[in-house]
C-alpha cells in the first residue's frame, strides 16, 4: 500500500486546542521535556513560585517514570478552563498499596521517596491510577483568573 492508494484507511484524530504537549520520553529527554513544560506553563499563566512548584512536580513525576517505570514514559500537558493539567504515564510494575497510601513526609535523611510527596504538596490536585501494567499520575495547577484593568 502506498500513500497514493485511494483505498488506504484513514484515522481521524481530533485537534485538541487545549493540548500543549503530548510526548514520549526517556532519560535523555527529561531536561528538554522540563523546559517545554516550563515554557507552556508560563504561557498558560503560571509564574513565580507557582510556576517553579508545578515544574518541580512534573520533573519528579518524569524522573519517577524513568527510574521506576521501565526507563521511559509519556507526558501530556493541557489546559482546561481555569486549570493546567499534566499527566505522566509509564509501564512499570505499579506502586504498592502501602506506598500509595503513605502520604507522610519522608524523613529528611531519606535519599528516595520524595517524588510523589513533592508532587502532591506542590500542586492543587493529584490523582494516581496504578496497576501491574503501569502508573498514571495526573497533577493540576489552578490558574488565576485574568483580571480586567477596566473594572477598577
Amino acid at each position: 500500500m502506498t500513500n497514493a492508494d485511494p483505498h488506504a484507511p484513514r484515522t481521524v484524530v481530533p485537534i485538541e486546542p487545549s493540548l500543549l504537549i503530548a510526548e514520549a520520553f526517556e532519560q535523555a529527554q527529561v531536561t528538554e521535556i522540563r523546559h517545554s513544560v516550563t515554557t507552556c506553563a508560563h504561557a498558560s499563566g503560571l509564574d513565580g513560585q507557582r510556576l517553579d512548584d508545578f515544574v518541580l512536580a512534573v520533573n519528579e513525576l518524569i524522573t519517577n517514570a524513568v527510574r521506576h517505570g521501565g526507563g521511559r514514559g509519556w507526558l501530556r500537558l493541557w489546559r482546561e478552563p481555569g486549570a493546567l493539567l499534566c499527566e505522566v504515564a509509564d509501564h512499570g510494575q505499579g506502586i504498592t498499596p502501602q506506598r500509595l497510601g503513605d502520604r507522610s513526609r519522608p524523613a529528611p535523611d531519606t535519599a528516595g521517596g520524595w517524588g510523589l510527596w513533592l508532587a502532591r504538596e506542590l500542586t492543587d490536585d493529584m490523582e494516581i491510577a496504578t496497576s501491574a501494567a503501569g502508573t498514571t499520575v495526573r497533577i493540576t495547577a489552578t490558574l488565576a483568573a485574568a483580571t480586567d484593568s477596566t473594572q477598577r
Side-chain angles (χ1 to χ4, degrees):
M1 189 178 297
T2 68
N3 288 338
D5 186 346
H7 302 290
R10 293 184 171 222
T11 302
V12 177
V13 179
I15 296 173
E16 298 179 49
S18 62
L19 185 62
L20 304 171
I21 301 172
E23 208 167 315
F25 62 88
E26 295 179 343
Q27 176 65 42
Q29 288 86 35
V30 166
T31 300
E32 179 184 336
I33 292 278
R34 188 176 60 243
H35 289 301
S36 296
V37 167
T38 301
T39 300
C40 290
H42 186 261
S44 295
L46 288 182
D47 60 4
Q49 191 63 51
R50 296 270 302 151
L51 175 63
D52 293 345
D53 288 350
F54 187 78
V55 172
L56 178 56
V58 171
N59 187 69
E60 290 298 322
L61 297 179
I62 60 180
T63 300
N64 278 354
V66 170
R67 285 189 183 153
H68 308 293
R72 63 180 179 261
W74 296 265
L75 179 138
R76 287 189 326 131
L77 180 73
W78 71 97
R79 267 188 84 158
E80 289 183 357
L84 183 65
L85 294 91
C86 183
E87 190 173 86
V88 176
D90 66 49
H91 285 302
Q93 297 179 359
I95 302 170
T96 65
Q98 296 82 8
R99 177 75 182 108
L100 194 57
D102 184 6
R103 293 179 180 235
S104 61
R105 179 183 177 142
D109 58 346
T110 303
W114 287 89
L116 291 177
W117 183 85
L118 275 171
R120 186 176 286 115
E121 291 293 311
L122 296 174
T123 59
D124 296 316
D125 189 39
M126 185 169 90
E127 300 171 26
I128 302 172
T130 190
S131 71
T135 299
T136 300
V137 181
R138 178 181 292 181
I139 57 174
T140 304
T142 302
L143 299 172
T147 57
D148 185 352
S149 60
T150 62
Q151 296 179 351
R152 290 187 185 203

